[in-house]
């Protein structure tokens, strides 16, 4: 048995790296594991850029959390000495009665988020990169912008190491046990014990929490980069805010300015589903052509030469809210990270929340919407429930932490 720790973390992507950082800052002895070597391109914490925004259309409950996330990203920037956040402004574009527009307005009005409502002609005049349809409006949020996922994960891990965290890359968590006397984790290299276990395993969370049979869906999403066809200046960070679109009723897409690597665009949701180990990271020529239909309709000057693409993984809950809770059988096991494709911006604050739950027994935010909210299997409700949670050996599952493309 290896030396005893205070907290073990299964998965060191967006949420796990942040939890390691916040715990170590408090003097907690942390040992974390990841199936790859983060930051990497096998989960969801990659692709150069992620959107950060306050006028949160998904639910107003997220607004206080994202405000704290902004503060923590800025604090981490100062400590790490590298840029992690860039404010470009943000446009949410759709019909006035769409979920995107009505939800963003509701959050902005409830919490006093600085914003403007722009009509079709206003959008075209101020942001000529975009072609909007006559029945569309926009919520413009001047403080929205970009966080840089690889740099953020690297900064969290580097600062955690500096505070004494043990970081085990390329070391899969095979199984874990929990009881009143603590927890233990078995990897390919040994067995580790601690008082607490935090599962931030992203797309692999369903395998590590198989005893709960969580209704999680792993979904492949593709991010694309194109050269502008003309008017490169229209796509500079000064002239092109981050942008989210809802169109044809239920379809969502989003995009970024050109930061030197091309104009990035992607669809949100509606991807291919499967297991994290079976979904391909390769991108087909047909997928490139499919995204061009969105570009030609709404961002025609971005329809230039194809530069690159990268597939990432969403881990979706049925209602697309996060899952942040204690394990229903083990109070010393915390679950966080299935974030349904919109969680990366929150990584800084979710790490702090996990540190609060571990060291203080509670958090300063309303987490009720994120609790386990689906029926538990009968086996977990019985008095003789197993305390051993195993990943499926047939798929060679390993721990990892990933969250969000938006």
């Amino acid at each position: 048995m290896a030396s005893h720790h205070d907290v073990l973390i299964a998965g060191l992507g967006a949420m796990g790296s942040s939890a390691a950082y916040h715990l170590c800052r408090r003097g907690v002895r942390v040992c974390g594991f990841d199936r790859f070597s983060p930051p990497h391109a096998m989960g969801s914490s990659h692709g150069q850029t992620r959107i950060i925004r306050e006028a949160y259309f998904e639910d107003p409950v997220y607004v206080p959390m994202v405000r704290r996330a902004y503060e923590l990203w800025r604090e981490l920037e100062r400590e790490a000495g590298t840029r992690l956040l860039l404010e470009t402004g943000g446009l949410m574009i759709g019909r006035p009665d769409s979920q995107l527009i009505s939800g963003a307005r509701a959050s902005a009005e409830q919490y006093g988020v600085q914003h403007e409502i722009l009509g079709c002609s206003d959008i075209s005049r101020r942001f000529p990169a975009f072609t909007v349809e006559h029945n569309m409006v926009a919520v413009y949020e001047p403080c929205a912008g970009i966080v840089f996922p690889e740099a953020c994960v690297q900064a969290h891990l580097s600062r955690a190491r500096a505070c004494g965290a043990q970081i085990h890359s390329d070391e899969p968590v095979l199984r874990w046990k929990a009881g009143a006397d603590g927890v233990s984790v078995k990897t390919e290299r040994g067995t580790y014990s601690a008082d607490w276990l935090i599962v931030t395993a992203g797309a692999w969370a369903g395998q590590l929490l198989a005893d709960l049979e969580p209704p999680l869906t792993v979904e492949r999403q593709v991010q694309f980069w194109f050269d502008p066809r003309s008017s490169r200046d229209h796509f500079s960070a000064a002239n092109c805010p981050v942008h989210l679109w809802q169109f044809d009723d239920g379809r969502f897409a989003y995009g970024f300015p050109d930061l030197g690597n091309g104009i990035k665009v992607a669809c949100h949701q509606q991807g291919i589903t499967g297991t994290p180990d079976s979904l391909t990271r390769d991108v087909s020529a047909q997928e490139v052509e499919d995204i061009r239909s969105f570009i030609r309709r709404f961002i025609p000057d971005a329809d230039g030469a194809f530069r690159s693409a990268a597939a990432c993984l969403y881990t979706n809950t049925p209602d697309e809210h996060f899952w942040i809770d204690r394990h229903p059988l083990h109070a010393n096991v915390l679950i966080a990270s299935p974030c349904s494709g919109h969680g990366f911006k929150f990584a800084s604050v979710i790490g702090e929340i996990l540190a609060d739950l571990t060291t203080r027994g509670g958090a300063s935010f309303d987490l009720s919407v994120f609790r386990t909210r689906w029926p538990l299997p009968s086996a977990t409700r019985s008095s003789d429930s197993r305390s051993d949670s195993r990943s499926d050996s047939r798929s060679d599952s390993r721990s990892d932490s990933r969250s969000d493309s938006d």
Side-chain angles (χ1 to χ4, degrees):
M1 177 75 72
S3 60
H4 188 81
H5 303 272
D6 296 321
V7 179
L8 302 176
I9 302 175
L12 293 171
M15 308 307 168
S17 64
S18 179
Y21 163 76
H22 283 284
L23 286 163
C24 284
R25 293 180 78 197
R26 303 181 187 190
V28 176
R29 296 173 299 168
V30 173
C31 183
F33 310 90
D34 197 280
R35 68 174 287 158
F36 301 109
S37 183
H40 56 76
M42 295 303 293
S44 303
S45 300
H46 64 280
Q48 305 174 16
T49 52
R50 292 292 185 273
I51 292 174
I52 187 167
R53 52 193 167 87
E54 281 189 64
Y56 221 72
F57 78 88
E58 290 86 345
D59 196 296
V61 74
Y62 291 91
V63 178
M65 291 171 61
V66 78
R67 285 180 164 170
R68 178 59 176 157
Y70 270 94
E71 296 173 353
L72 291 170
W73 288 128
R74 291 301 191 196
E75 184 177 314
L76 183 62
E77 274 189 326
R78 292 191 293 270
E79 288 188 26
T82 187
R83 170 172 276 184
L84 302 176
L85 191 157
L86 174 65
E87 292 184 6
T88 63
L91 280 173
M92 286 148 279
I93 305 170
R95 289 171 45 179
D97 60 350
S98 64
Q99 178 190 3
L100 177 60
I101 298 300
S102 60
R105 291 190 66 171
S107 286
E109 291 166 3
Q110 180 173 336
Y111 284 97
V113 176
Q114 185 180 358
H115 71 287
E116 298 177 65
I117 306 300
L118 304 180
C120 175
S121 59
D122 298 321
I123 302 167
S124 299
R125 183 181 68 255
R126 290 175 58 175
F127 306 105
F130 306 127
T131 298
V132 295
E133 296 172 351
H134 73 280
N135 61 349
M136 287 181 162
V137 300
V139 177
Y140 176 66
E141 181 186 331
C143 293
I146 298 167
V147 286
F148 302 103
E150 291 92 343
C152 291
V153 171
Q154 185 61 60
H156 273 143
L157 290 176
S158 295
R159 299 307 301 165
R161 286 190 183 96
C163 293
Q166 294 185 22
I167 303 300
H168 293 234
S169 298
D170 301 305
E171 185 168 352
V173 170
L174 303 177
R175 56 185 177 269
W176 58 269
K177 291 183 180 181
D181 58 343
V183 299
S184 66
V185 159
K186 174 69 175 176
T187 77
E188 293 176 335
R189 300 177 193 168
T191 302
Y192 305 81
S193 66
D195 300 322
W196 288 83
L197 170 64
I198 296 176
V199 179
T200 45
W204 286 265
Q207 296 174 358
L208 285 177
L209 300 166
D211 61 325
L212 299 181
E213 298 179 11
L216 306 178
T217 302
V218 178
E219 183 178 10
R220 176 182 173 274
Q221 299 287 336
V222 182
Q223 307 162 82
F224 303 87
W225 288 262
F226 294 88
D227 280 327
R229 189 176 61 185
S230 61
S231 307
R232 182 176 292 274
D233 189 57
H234 287 172
F235 295 98
S236 69
N239 297 321
C240 179
V242 295
H243 42 104
L244 291 82
W245 303 74
Q246 185 175 4
F247 56 100
D248 298 345
D249 295 328
R251 297 183 63 192
F252 287 84
Y254 61 94
F256 297 82
D258 185 353
L259 301 180
N261 297 310
I263 302 157
K264 178 181 173 182
V265 294
C267 290
H268 176 63
Q269 303 290 1
Q270 300 179 334
I272 299 170
T273 62
T275 69
D277 302 303
S278 65
L279 288 169
T280 181
R281 273 62 167 185
D282 295 332
V283 178
S284 70
Q286 184 59 55
E287 288 176 305
V288 176
E289 287 306 306
D290 289 344
I291 196 66
R292 284 190 186 274
S293 65
F294 163 75
I295 293 171
R296 289 166 182 157
R297 181 174 174 184
F298 296 115
I299 326 170
D301 279 342
D303 189 27
F306 169 67
R307 296 190 63 156
S308 62
C312 71
L313 303 179
Y314 284 12
T315 308
N316 300 319
T317 62
D319 59 11
E320 298 182 10
H321 288 307
F322 302 164
W323 186 17
I324 305 172
D325 203 357
R326 298 179 189 273
H327 191 288
L329 297 179
H330 309 295
N332 54 357
V333 177
L334 294 176
I335 300 164
S337 82
C339 293
S340 302
H342 62 105
F344 193 93
K345 64 186 75 64
F346 296 94
S348 59
V349 69
I350 289 178
E352 183 180 62
I353 288 169
L354 293 170
D356 285 343
L357 292 172
T358 305
T359 62
R360 300 174 184 171
S364 56
F365 298 94
D366 178 10
L367 303 179
S368 57
V369 72
F370 309 129
R371 292 174 183 156
T372 306
R373 50 204 179 272
W374 37 80
L376 297 175
S378 58
T380 64
R381 296 195 298 266
S382 65
S383 60
D384 61 347
S385 298
R386 294 180 301 162
S387 62
D388 184 1
S389 179
R390 300 174 184 270
S391 56
D392 186 350
S393 60
R394 291 172 296 178
S395 61
D396 187 29
S397 64
R398 304 178 178 192
S399 72
D400 197 5
S401 179
R402 310 288 165 252
S403 178
D404 70 320
S405 288
D406 172 6

